[in-house]
Amino acid sequence: MRGKVLPVHEAGHDAMTNTLPDRAALEWMYSTMLLAKMADERAADEARKGLLAAALYPVRGLEAVCAAMGVAMAPQDQMVSSYRNLGDALSRKIPLRAIIAEAYGRMGGTSKGKGGTMHLTDNERGLIATTGIVGAGMPLAVGLGLAAQLDKSDRAIAVTFGDGATSIGAAHESFNLAALWKLPVVFVCQNNQWGEHTPLAEYAANPNLAERTAAYGLHAEAVDGFDPMATLQSIGGALDRARAGEGPSFIECRSYRLTGHSGLSDYSYVPTEELAAALARDPAPTFRTWLEQNGHVDAATLDQIEQTAVETVDDAFAFAQQSPHPSPDELMADVYASPEGVPTR
Amino acid sequence: MTTVESATDTKQMTIVAAIQNALDIALGLDERVIILGEDIADPIGGVMKATKGLSTKHGLDRVRATPIVEQTIIGTAVGAALGGYRPVAEIMFMDFLCQAMDQIINHAAKSRYMSGGHSPAPIVVRAMIGDSKFGAQHSQALEGWFMHTPGLKVVMPSNPYDTKGLLLSAIFDDDPVIFIENMGMSYSIKGEVPTGDYRVPLGEASVLREGSDITLITYGAEVHPSMAAAQALEGEISVEVIDLRSLVPLDISTCVRSVSETKRAIVVHGSTEFCGPGAEVATQLTDRLFGTLDVPVARHGATYTPVPFSQQLHSTPTEESIIAAIRTLRQRDAVGQHPESI
């Protein structure tokens, strides 16, 4: 168990069919991948047109990982995410309306428009925190894991972060502490191969992040993050171990960032061949082909899912744009639980 | 004004004993209270022994010794608070909070606001101001940094009674609290403390000494040289001394009541005078009392230097320097000019 590093399943979907979820779950996964892709692209369009004033961190390339987390995680499980959180939020079944309204800073958003795109939270659906600080979610997940362990609950905690976050001290402190205390935490590294604008191999002496993290005495494995079935199996296994009291896991989901680091940022520095190879495995269309070719879901149903996704995205943006702005009294609300005597400016 | 709820017996306690007693009571009252920190479990019981016996009595699950990982101690505390617990994190020397600033400022303080009120993080961070014999990285008074961060409460007691009552209030407060102790007072300051549960509310200053000529407004360790200075001037100048006890919330009303009578005030503290808490207190007093004051409100804080190691160099206020500050203010009052222009 300790220090186990598995190879990446470069072969694609056919490698992992022994844990096939039921048809409803497969349909949900496809729908979620589509929503992540389409909402992401729509948000970028709105920002480009000057109609959406929000920092955007695209999730294109991570759709399969997010869909897999949505199926693997149980309703009582909790998640800590980062600024690149659209797919994570969908995996927790947070309505797209609330996600997009938060991006518009409206009352219909997850935080009444006071958190914004980098700070989606929905306690009821188990998205406990999203942080805009690289790597800072991992200590929070350790704390949530401690709470779950003290509660003797069957709750597991998943924390998502990019490959860039594995460089920061908080990550290494958290790997050690979670392993030391055998906490029910799954570290889900959404490795998109780029730390901001620097490729992994240029900032890590050992770019095999799973191998590096295994040294902390936790279960670490790498998986093909473009393969939703393989990713589902890896994350599901990690959650099972967490619930069984076997401690934390580090799952390095190897993917590729299909866009710039942030909303409208330059992407010209990315090698053309690498990007083309990654785009050839674009999660949602690749998954559709696989579902159809293997007879898991028929074409008419997939067409219907696509049509529904288009409508859901349109509806979410319309809802967000019509949702009221926070009233002026929201400025001072929620700073303190008991604000008696604290300053007002 | 303090409330004593269920305390009849009292005992002589040091500040460390008062902290240990408060933590023991809190752990007994509420299973959600847990403690995290370096070396806090028995047999060590913390570097200052403030958690001595607690892991033995309440279990290693709830009184958890951690590796030397300040930012992850605080991050873990914030996460556990998000998970429904009331963690108390011990961070030895206050200077080490620099290691944990991201989790304190970006997470603990803002979590409630950024989530629209859904995800509060009611943690207590205990840390102490050290002693100059440890040099400049173990002796800074950094309370001003935390006062500058909306979402945090900042508490700084001066005696065992307040320490216990304020710590219990802080632990059961629904907001994150930075609770600042002082190494020099830990064992030297003793007092009668009720052995049972009682709370000193956050945001209520205490008038330690009444006087009619001038008001010293202070808190934490500087309360003691301020009291000594007031005593030394007895018969010559009548000095009132106010212990703020908490800086956020700040009890400006008690200060205004006092200074409206004395018409002269000096704010005394161990953090730097420049941009220190005294600037805020002085401004608020001037806002309310301008035109009725005999002299502008003065500040007497630390020099704008790192804390020197040499015991012969004094960066923070001493009894002698406070007496000198009082005399300077009196001189200005008589002459009507700033002392530097006299």
Side-chain angles (χ1 to χ4, degrees):
Chain A
M1 185 65 67
R2 281 170 75 106
K4 185 176 165 195
V5 180
L6 300 181
V8 179
H9 302 288
E10 294 292 355
H13 304 301
D14 49 332
M16 288 293 153
T17 50
N18 54 340
T19 54
L20 191 69
D22 64 21
R23 178 167 166 161
L26 290 172
E27 289 179 10
W28 181 87
M29 288 177 78
Y30 182 51
S31 164
T32 300
M33 288 189 214
L34 279 178
L35 286 177
K37 175 180 188 291
M38 292 164 56
D40 202 284
E41 289 170 343
R42 174 74 177 272
D45 278 349
E46 298 290 327
R48 212 170 281 120
K49 285 187 262 177
L51 300 173
L52 173 59
L56 299 171
Y57 295 90
V59 294
R60 294 281 289 110
L62 297 175
E63 295 94 325
V65 177
C66 300
M69 283 193 301
V71 173
M73 292 180 76
Q76 76 274 16
D77 290 340
Q78 295 175 319
M79 179 185 279
V80 177
S81 181
S82 72
Y83 44 88
R84 205 177 296 284
N85 56 32
L86 173 60
D88 291 354
L90 290 170
S91 84
R92 292 311 298 168
K93 283 66 167 189
I94 299 173
L96 189 61
R97 279 183 165 197
I99 297 169
I100 302 302
E102 189 62 28
Y104 277 84
R106 306 300 175 97
M107 283 299 281
T110 50
S111 304
K112 300 185 283 187
K114 291 158 70 168
T117 45
M118 290 211 231
H119 305 298
L120 297 179
T121 50
D122 185 332
N123 268 348
E124 285 181 18
R125 294 181 178 85
L127 183 60
I128 306 301
T130 54
T131 178
I133 309 297
V134 171
M138 286 181 255
L140 301 180
V142 169
L144 286 164
L146 176 58
Q149 188 183 66
L150 289 171
D151 285 345
K152 299 181 172 48
S153 75
D154 63 349
R155 217 159 59 234
I157 318 304
V159 53
T160 62
F161 48 89
D163 49 292
T166 62
S167 296
I168 214 160
H172 298 266
E173 296 181 7
S174 299
F175 298 150
N176 178 55
L177 200 53
L180 183 69
W181 291 350
K182 282 194 170 303
L183 298 177
V185 175
V186 181
F187 295 95
V188 180
C189 177
Q190 298 170 335
N191 179 357
N192 66 17
Q193 315 281 348
W194 291 88
E196 300 232 353
H197 309 284
T198 305
L200 174 53
E202 286 183 23
Y203 69 75
N206 179 359
N208 186 334
L209 300 177
E211 181 183 276
R212 185 170 80 171
T213 309
Y216 286 98
L218 43 68
H219 177 104
E221 66 182 63
V223 65
D224 179 0
F226 279 120
D227 183 338
M229 294 300 116
T231 304
L232 173 58
Q233 191 179 53
S234 285
I235 293 176
L239 290 163
D240 288 345
R241 283 190 296 279
R243 278 187 238 290
E246 292 171 23
S249 300
F250 176 90
I251 309 297
E252 180 194 347
C253 306
R254 291 183 183 161
S255 173
Y256 201 88
R257 202 176 65 206
L258 302 180
T259 64
H261 164 68
S262 60
L264 310 175
S265 63
D266 175 31
Y267 204 39
S268 59
Y269 53 86
V270 172
T272 317
E273 285 170 20
E274 264 186 41
L275 182 58
L279 277 167
R281 305 188 66 204
D282 194 348
T286 306
F287 192 49
R288 174 176 172 135
T289 304
W290 181 79
L291 287 170
E292 209 176 328
Q293 285 182 351
N294 290 279
H296 298 308
V297 184
D298 59 89
T301 305
L302 292 165
D303 289 346
Q304 183 56 48
I305 290 170
E306 284 167 23
Q307 182 54 36
T308 304
V310 170
E311 290 164 8
T312 304
V313 171
D314 282 345
D315 167 77
F317 277 81
F319 169 84
Q321 288 157 358
Q322 287 157 22
S323 179
H325 290 281
S327 59
D329 58 350
E330 279 295 336
L331 175 65
M332 299 307 298
D334 309 316
V335 186
Y336 290 92
S338 48
E340 300 78 24
V342 299
T344 52
R345 16 187 1 108
Chain B
M1 194 171 73
T2 60
T3 49
V4 179
E5 286 178 357
S6 62
T8 47
D9 296 335
T10 66
K11 197 175 159 189
Q12 271 280 310
M13 288 191 200
T14 60
I15 286 180
V16 165
I19 292 165
Q20 195 271 359
N21 187 216
L23 294 171
D24 186 23
I25 288 171
L27 286 161
L29 281 175
D30 190 339
E31 287 194 350
R32 295 175 304 157
V33 175
I34 57 172
I35 311 181
L36 301 163
E38 295 155 17
D39 296 330
I40 64 167
D42 291 331
I44 304 299
V47 290
M48 297 300 289
K49 310 288 182 199
T51 51
K52 186 87 179 160
L54 298 180
S55 67
T56 302
K57 182 173 173 182
H58 299 282
L60 287 164
D61 268 358
R62 296 178 64 205
V63 181
R64 282 193 177 232
T66 66
I68 303 170
V69 285
E70 283 82 9
Q71 78 170 320
T72 293
I73 292 171
I74 302 298
T76 300
V78 173
L82 294 171
Y85 282 78
R86 289 192 174 274
V88 181
E90 176 176 304
I91 304 285
M92 237 185 265
F93 290 90
M94 183 172 204
D95 315 69
F96 306 166
L97 292 176
C98 296
Q99 298 277 11
M101 285 305 259
D102 172 53
Q103 289 295 340
I104 296 173
I105 308 297
N106 286 323
H107 295 88
K110 297 174 175 57
S111 185
R112 175 183 292 278
Y113 196 80
M114 293 193 305
S115 64
H118 301 304
S119 295
I123 64 168
V124 174
V125 179
R126 288 182 43 237
M128 68 181 171
I129 296 170
D131 188 286
S132 67
K133 68 173 173 284
F134 290 93
Q137 295 174 340
H138 288 63
S139 49
Q140 300 168 89
L142 302 173
E143 63 271 21
W145 290 3
F146 301 100
M147 292 174 72
H148 210 72
T149 304
L152 299 177
K153 291 178 175 172
V154 183
V155 177
M156 221 161 147
S158 69
N159 62 63
Y161 179 91
D162 287 348
T163 297
K164 177 177 169 182
L166 287 165
L167 183 54
L168 279 161
S169 291
I171 292 169
F172 294 106
D173 196 278
D174 289 331
D175 293 310
V177 180
I178 309 296
F179 194 91
I180 304 170
E181 300 156 19
N182 191 294
M183 191 179 202
M185 296 197 296
S186 296
Y187 286 97
S188 65
I189 307 293
K190 298 189 179 95
E192 283 295 315
V193 177
T195 53
D197 181 17
Y198 66 93
R199 312 290 166 91
V200 175
L202 309 186
E204 289 190 13
S206 137
V207 180
L208 294 181
R209 188 181 199 281
E210 295 194 342
S212 54
D213 291 332
I214 186 168
T215 306
L216 291 185
I217 299 164
T218 184
Y219 55 86
E222 275 63 39
V223 163
H224 302 285
S226 295
M227 287 293 281
Q231 185 64 36
L233 291 168
E234 188 152 290
E236 178 190 350
I237 303 169
S238 172
V239 182
E240 182 143 308
V241 180
I242 293 175
D243 180 353
L244 289 171
R245 302 198 287 195
S246 75
L247 298 168
V248 181
L250 179 67
D251 180 5
I252 201 69
S253 302
T254 296
C255 302
V256 168
R257 266 197 304 277
S258 169
V259 180
S260 64
E261 297 292 327
T262 60
K263 304 189 189 309
R264 303 172 193 90
I266 306 177
V267 194
V268 180
H269 55 61
S271 61
T272 60
E273 194 171 296
F274 180 77
C275 282
E280 182 61 39
V281 174
T283 299
Q284 290 204 31
L285 286 173
T286 306
D287 269 351
R288 286 164 175 77
L289 299 172
F290 184 70
T292 70
L293 297 169
D294 285 347
V295 278
V297 178
R299 293 170 295 155
H300 185 49
T303 52
Y304 201 60
T305 59
V307 177
F309 171 76
S310 165
Q311 313 292 300
Q312 301 306 308
L313 298 172
H314 298 290
S315 63
T316 54
T318 60
E319 178 185 339
E320 293 71 29
S321 74
I322 296 166
I323 290 172
I326 293 170
R327 291 199 198 283
T328 301
L329 199 75
R330 292 270 290 180
Q331 190 184 5
R332 181 174 187 183
D333 189 7
V335 181
Q337 283 179 300
H338 192 279
E340 283 177 12
S341 63
I342 293 171

